Amino acid sequence: MQSDRHPVIILVRPQMGENIGAAARAMLNFGLTEMRLVEPRDGWPNPKAVAMASGAAGRVLDQAKVYPTLAAAMEGIEYAYATTARGRELTKPVLNPEDAMAETRARAGRSAIIFGPERTGLENDDIARANAIVTVPVNPDFPSINLAQAVLLMGYEYGREILPPEPAPHAGREDAEAMADRLEIERLGDHYDERLTEAGFFFPETKAASMRLNLRNMWSRLALTRGDVRILHGILRQLTRRPGGQ
């Protein structure tokens, strides 16, 4: 994903720093890093935004640009989407997030997604500056969507066909998070078989073979990580410890 092709996120008159920070986190989840702010109510920079953004502060908020008007914030943008449930009286294409972001991925020029203030959303004067409207199909009895949620939804629709399906590739996981291999599962089964035999669990003798088979089959069905296997070994050791020793 080339960053100069990603859509720009424009927040128009955002009211709360916390929401700006949460929007930055949502952007970075899906590889979006360019944020433009139009007249943020509490000024900029905003320490509450930085605190909420967490790891996204350095990669999104530190590069965010502030503009006096939406028109100025559209610099370099060739196609813009206004996210709103209003403005249908304006003659514009109305798309859902999936179709809008599919268009964006296919478009050669720079696109922008415009979000309005938390309390009122975009005004018609704002919507008039966009090429198309994006409306989220939501419960008509409760259509309000939080600013960061709206950014997250649009980011997801943009990134889901481009970003890798595994957010944490196997090779990059901590050892405890890696899936246990069959030998580790086999040794876990052996450990439990041994201790359960000592405890007299496999009784009566006529059913012992089928009980062992069912237990072994259960271990093979479980999706256990290496960390899980170590925990299960540890639990069994602790439960079977003898006073004064292991």
Side-chain angles (χ1 to χ4, degrees):
M1 296 176 71
Q2 298 177 351
S3 60
D4 60 353
R5 290 284 307 280
H6 296 347
V8 175
I9 300 299
I10 302 178
L11 307 184
V12 177
R13 299 180 297 279
Q15 297 172 308
M16 297 179 63
E18 293 89 341
N19 286 337
I20 298 173
R25 292 181 67 167
M27 288 172 59
L28 195 56
N29 283 151
F30 300 101
L32 306 179
T33 58
E34 186 170 348
M35 174 186 282
R36 300 182 184 182
L37 303 171
V38 177
E39 294 184 286
R41 184 190 67 182
D42 297 335
W44 195 257
N46 187 311
K48 292 182 178 179
V50 173
M52 181 61 75
S54 186
R59 297 184 60 184
V60 179
L61 295 186
D62 286 355
Q63 283 75 42
K65 296 180 180 178
V66 180
Y67 295 84
T69 64
L70 176 57
M74 301 280 266
E75 178 185 4
I77 301 301
E78 297 180 22
Y79 202 94
Y81 298 91
T83 59
T84 180
R86 303 166 51 194
R88 289 180 180 268
E89 63 270 22
L90 300 174
T91 304
K92 292 182 184 295
V94 179
L95 303 138
N96 62 35
E98 181 180 6
D99 292 340
M101 293 302 94
E103 282 188 0
T104 298
R105 289 193 300 270
R107 187 170 287 110
R110 213 64 209 282
S111 297
I113 312 169
I114 307 170
F115 299 85
E118 296 90 321
R119 188 173 64 84
T120 60
L122 292 171
E123 301 293 339
N124 280 345
D125 284 349
D126 304 316
I127 299 168
R129 288 176 165 78
N131 300 87
I133 290 170
V134 180
T135 297
V136 179
V138 293
N139 177 6
D141 294 330
F142 191 69
S144 176
I145 298 179
N146 174 272
L147 175 60
Q149 291 174 330
V151 173
L152 183 74
L153 192 154
M154 297 299 291
Y156 168 77
E157 290 294 350
Y158 176 75
R160 67 174 182 159
E161 297 295 330
I162 302 174
L163 290 169
E166 280 287 334
H170 181 86
R173 292 176 180 167
E174 296 289 339
D175 179 71
E177 297 177 0
M179 298 306 297
D181 62 29
R182 303 320 303 169
L183 180 58
E184 290 166 323
I185 299 297
E186 187 71 17
R187 288 172 177 166
L188 180 65
D190 290 344
H191 189 187
Y192 272 78
D193 188 288
E194 179 183 347
R195 292 292 183 263
L196 291 173
T197 298
E198 292 174 356
F201 176 77
F202 298 110
F203 181 85
E205 184 63 33
T206 55
K207 295 183 178 180
S210 64
M211 292 171 70
R212 284 190 168 91
L213 180 63
N214 289 337
L215 188 60
R216 186 70 64 169
N217 188 48
M218 182 193 75
W219 292 123
S220 69
R221 293 198 313 269
L222 297 177
L224 298 173
T225 66
R226 288 176 175 169
D228 295 333
V229 168
R230 288 197 284 269
I231 289 172
L232 289 169
H233 277 299
I235 289 171
L236 189 57
R237 291 190 188 99
Q238 190 66 24
L239 288 173
T240 57
R241 285 181 66 184
R242 294 176 178 81
Q246 295 293 328

